[in-house]
Amino acid sequence: MTEKTRLQLLAWAREYHCAAFIQGDPVQFPHRYTQKQDIEVSGLLTAIMSFGNRKQILKKADGLHGLMGASPYRYVLSCRWKEDFLPTDRSSFYRMLSHADFYTYFARLHAAYTRFDSLEDALSVYPGTPMEKLCAFLEVSAKSPQKKLNMFLRWMIRKESEVDFGIWKSFDRRDLLIPLDTHVCRVAYLLGLTDTETFSLKNARNITEALAEVFPDDPCLGDFALFGSGVNGVL
């Protein structure tokens, strides 16, 4: 990495890592809450929906939060989701995510909060990295880049941030992986942080390792630099 690139990443991180990032980003939804469990539920479900057109993501996430009401955590425990999301309903709730899919997500969260005080505690029983733990909990592959889940983990784990919450104290932000999306991948490639624009776990790791050269204690701070510059058309 050249010194010019390192300084550019530092400058972009300073520019885009700020409270103004929240407006227009899906992270605005968990920012509605102060209780840890509400932030966890809102954050996970919002992140799972965070793909496709940004306006549609925000519209549908707002509708979901309207269903959950003042406390997503209490909504999970109340089991009202069993009426709102039927396990046999394969119709679309958001794009390829069906009502039945959300029934499953709520069922997993209900089981977690029945046994544990928080989702953070529930993940502690699984081995591996933060991403591997969350993938095991959701029973999804840990061999793909899992952009949405890594974004959620960034929200929960990164501390000293106006955007991210840092409420999961048992995890280390140095173990996070970059949430790999179109903007991040393209800018990382143009800057020479990776030699491919392939959406793969290997590439997510390579980009994260490159960012760790600039932000050694907090590599995903570089996510703001890459995403912000990409979405704003700087490169």
Side-chain angles (χ1 to χ4, degrees):
M1 182 186 305
T2 66
E3 181 65 7
K4 180 181 178 180
T5 297
R6 189 184 74 85
L7 292 175
Q8 184 64 81
L9 288 168
L10 288 168
W12 282 337
R14 285 193 298 269
E15 180 177 357
Y16 298 116
H17 183 239
C18 61
F21 185 91
I22 298 170
Q23 184 179 4
D25 190 84
V27 77
Q28 66 183 267
F29 292 100
H31 270 284
R32 293 179 177 182
Y33 309 101
T34 57
Q35 184 178 343
K36 178 178 182 177
Q37 294 88 346
D38 286 329
I39 294 169
E40 289 177 336
V41 174
S42 171
L44 179 62
L45 297 178
T46 299
I48 286 171
M49 296 172 63
S50 294
F51 62 98
N53 179 273
R54 180 60 61 95
K55 290 183 179 179
Q56 291 302 313
I57 295 169
L58 300 181
K59 179 180 178 181
K60 200 61 182 182
D62 190 53
L64 175 63
H65 284 77
L67 276 178
M68 294 191 293
S71 172
Y73 174 59
R74 288 199 295 271
Y75 177 82
V76 169
L77 294 182
S78 74
C79 291
R80 294 200 310 274
W81 46 271
K82 291 184 178 180
E83 300 173 3
D84 296 329
F85 300 93
L86 300 178
T88 56
D89 187 354
R90 295 295 174 183
S91 65
S92 172
F93 179 73
Y94 175 68
R95 300 191 70 178
M96 72 278 293
L97 294 173
S98 69
H99 287 76
D101 290 327
F102 275 84
Y103 178 95
T104 300
Y105 295 137
F106 280 114
R108 290 185 191 281
L109 287 167
H110 183 271
Y113 288 120
T114 300
R115 292 185 57 201
F116 300 94
D117 181 61
S118 68
L119 182 56
E120 177 184 13
D121 292 341
L123 295 188
S124 68
V125 303
Y126 297 99
T129 65
M131 176 184 159
E132 289 167 344
K133 289 174 182 285
L134 184 56
C135 286
F137 171 73
L138 293 172
E139 295 187 12
V140 297
S141 173
K143 295 182 179 180
S144 66
Q146 295 292 2
K147 175 255 181 180
K148 296 172 288 184
L149 301 189
N150 280 310
M151 183 175 69
F152 167 68
L153 290 168
R154 197 202 78 203
W155 292 349
M156 296 299 103
I157 296 171
R158 281 195 70 253
K159 58 187 178 181
E160 300 167 5
S161 170
E162 294 181 85
V163 180
D164 301 321
F165 297 89
I167 56 175
W168 284 6
K169 306 302 183 183
S170 61
F171 293 84
D172 193 320
R173 61 188 180 181
R174 288 172 294 186
D175 294 328
L176 291 169
L177 274 181
I178 197 82
L180 193 64
D181 71 1
T182 301
H183 302 295
V184 168
C185 198
R186 181 177 63 83
V187 176
Y189 176 73
L190 291 174
L191 291 176
L193 304 185
T194 177
D195 59 4
T196 177
E197 293 188 67
T198 304
F199 285 88
S200 66
L201 179 59
K202 180 180 179 181
N203 204 22
R205 286 173 173 160
N206 288 341
I207 295 171
T208 304
E209 289 174 6
L211 291 172
E213 296 179 27
V214 185
F215 313 100
D217 294 323
D218 187 13
C220 278
L221 174 55
D223 184 29
F224 294 89
L226 298 179
F227 179 82
S229 59
V231 77
N232 285 287
V234 176
L235 280 181

